[in-house]
Amino acid sequence: MSPEILLITGMSGSGKSVALHALEDAGYYCVDNLPPELLSAFLALERPAQPVAIAMDVRSGQSFPLIPQQLQTMRKQGVVLRSLFLDATTDALVRRFSETRRKHPLSHSEAEVEGPERFRSLVQAIELERELLADLRDGADIIDTSLIRPAQLQSYIKDLVAAPHSTLTLVFESFAFKRGVPLDADYVFDVRMLPNPHYVPNLRPLTGRDEPVIDWLREHDEVLKMFEDIEGFLARWLDAMARDHRSYVTVAIGCTGGQHRSVFLVEQLARTFGARWATIKRHREISA
């Protein structure tokens, strides 16, 4: 049986190097910035029977447009292929490039002009890259790295590759609206109208994974009704999504601080749906 191929792509500065390090730890044979025209030759090489991760993106230059065609050919040949796209907001990417003082790979214009016009601004380069990568983003498993630390990204990657690829995987993610909605969310539920444990002094330092908070939230009918509504929506449509060959569905649940209500609901939903579907839990605002 041929090894699994995991394509790592996404925005420059979104954390692809961190992802490759996590995959190496998980037992993957990793190759960074492989030219698209060498993909077939690389896959024909004799290698240990282990999964393979290949990072490909706009650094490929003029050969970048070959990537979708190469991927389509691989799938027709029966190669087991997964695609992971790392994304981030423009503000986050600008901050990272400013901190590292690295040039964006698209900062130099291909146009035959002289002078300052030959160089794009950082924001222009990022937006151009977003357009160029749009086709690769469609159909890929997406991770928004805008507000997560490298250690969190490594954990996300390891959870993702550990989930079965042959079935639909549900990703439940809690977040704080005050820090923005995750870019990788397929469905977003706003639970800020629910009773908030933040205003109970002895519950404020805890999270939605702690028993006192869990017990307090379960005492409120509005919380139980919200859980039932989200559960009912997903239960109704998951089979249809699986039939549509969706591999991952990310359900993001947000409250004000991302510590109590959203965390509680993510934990409860993951436990409920975990009996049938592969599930992954993420708490963006909680360290561990």
Side-chain angles (χ1 to χ4, degrees):
M1 184 175 65
S2 60
E4 177 183 283
I5 306 298
L6 177 61
L7 173 69
I8 305 294
T9 188
M11 301 295 293
S12 300
S14 61
K16 292 188 292 293
S17 296
V18 174
L20 287 176
H21 291 153
L23 290 166
E24 286 180 345
D25 292 343
Y28 276 69
Y29 184 96
C30 298
V31 181
D32 189 19
N33 197 21
L34 180 71
E37 56 268 36
L38 297 182
L39 182 58
S40 297
F42 171 77
L43 295 179
L45 295 174
E46 288 291 334
R47 296 182 311 279
Q50 65 185 113
V52 176
I54 301 173
M56 302 173 73
D57 49 49
V58 296
R59 292 173 294 171
S60 300
Q62 294 183 349
S63 61
F64 173 77
L66 297 175
I67 296 177
Q69 179 183 349
Q70 293 278 3
L71 299 181
Q72 185 177 13
T73 300
M74 289 167 56
R75 289 189 172 100
K76 288 181 178 179
Q77 294 173 346
V79 175
V80 180
L81 176 66
R82 303 172 69 175
S83 182
L84 175 61
F85 190 99
L86 301 186
D87 205 350
T89 64
T90 297
D91 287 346
L93 296 173
V94 167
R95 184 178 66 252
R96 292 171 189 175
F97 274 100
S98 299
E99 290 172 351
T100 61
R101 299 183 180 274
R102 295 180 59 193
K103 285 187 177 181
H104 191 281
L106 296 180
S107 61
H108 189 278
S109 173
E110 298 295 333
E112 294 182 0
V113 295
E114 299 295 334
E117 292 79 8
R118 295 189 63 187
F119 300 94
R120 299 185 180 94
S121 71
L122 179 54
V123 172
Q124 288 175 327
I126 290 171
E127 294 308 320
L128 174 59
E129 182 180 32
R130 209 178 287 284
E131 291 180 22
L132 293 174
L133 292 172
D135 288 343
L136 289 179
R137 192 181 193 277
D138 290 342
D141 307 323
I142 303 168
I143 295 181
D144 176 11
T145 70
S146 305
L147 296 172
I148 62 175
R149 298 180 305 280
Q152 284 179 295
L153 177 56
Q154 289 188 351
S155 177
Y156 286 10
I157 295 290
K158 292 176 181 179
D159 287 343
L160 197 65
V161 299
H165 183 49
S166 58
T167 60
L168 177 71
T169 297
L170 287 172
V171 180
F172 291 103
E173 180 173 10
S174 67
F175 71 95
F177 270 99
K178 66 182 181 181
R179 299 184 71 213
V181 177
L183 297 176
D184 52 2
D186 294 298
Y187 297 98
V188 177
F189 293 95
D190 182 352
V191 300
R192 286 175 291 183
M193 77 293 291
L194 298 179
N196 192 351
H198 175 79
Y199 297 109
V200 180
N202 63 309
L203 299 181
R204 182 176 301 177
L206 305 178
T207 76
R209 295 184 295 187
D210 294 315
E211 287 300 327
V213 174
I214 293 171
D215 292 341
W216 189 89
L217 288 170
R218 282 178 172 165
E219 292 174 356
H220 293 80
D221 291 338
E222 305 101 301
V223 176
L224 299 181
K225 180 59 177 173
M226 177 65 76
F227 171 80
E228 291 173 359
D229 286 346
I230 299 174
E231 178 191 29
F233 172 82
L234 294 174
R236 175 173 302 211
W237 293 107
L238 283 178
D239 283 322
M241 286 185 264
R243 289 194 298 270
D244 195 41
H245 306 290
R246 295 283 295 274
S247 56
Y248 286 87
V249 173
T250 299
V251 180
I253 300 177
C255 59
T256 306
Q259 301 288 325
H260 300 104
R261 296 164 292 180
S262 60
V263 172
F264 166 79
L265 286 168
V266 161
E267 292 287 332
Q268 301 307 309
L269 288 164
R271 182 177 295 110
T272 297
F273 286 97
R276 179 178 177 189
W277 305 93
T279 61
I280 296 173
K281 296 180 295 184
R282 297 176 184 164
H283 298 298
R284 193 181 72 179
E285 320 304 346
I286 298 179
S287 300

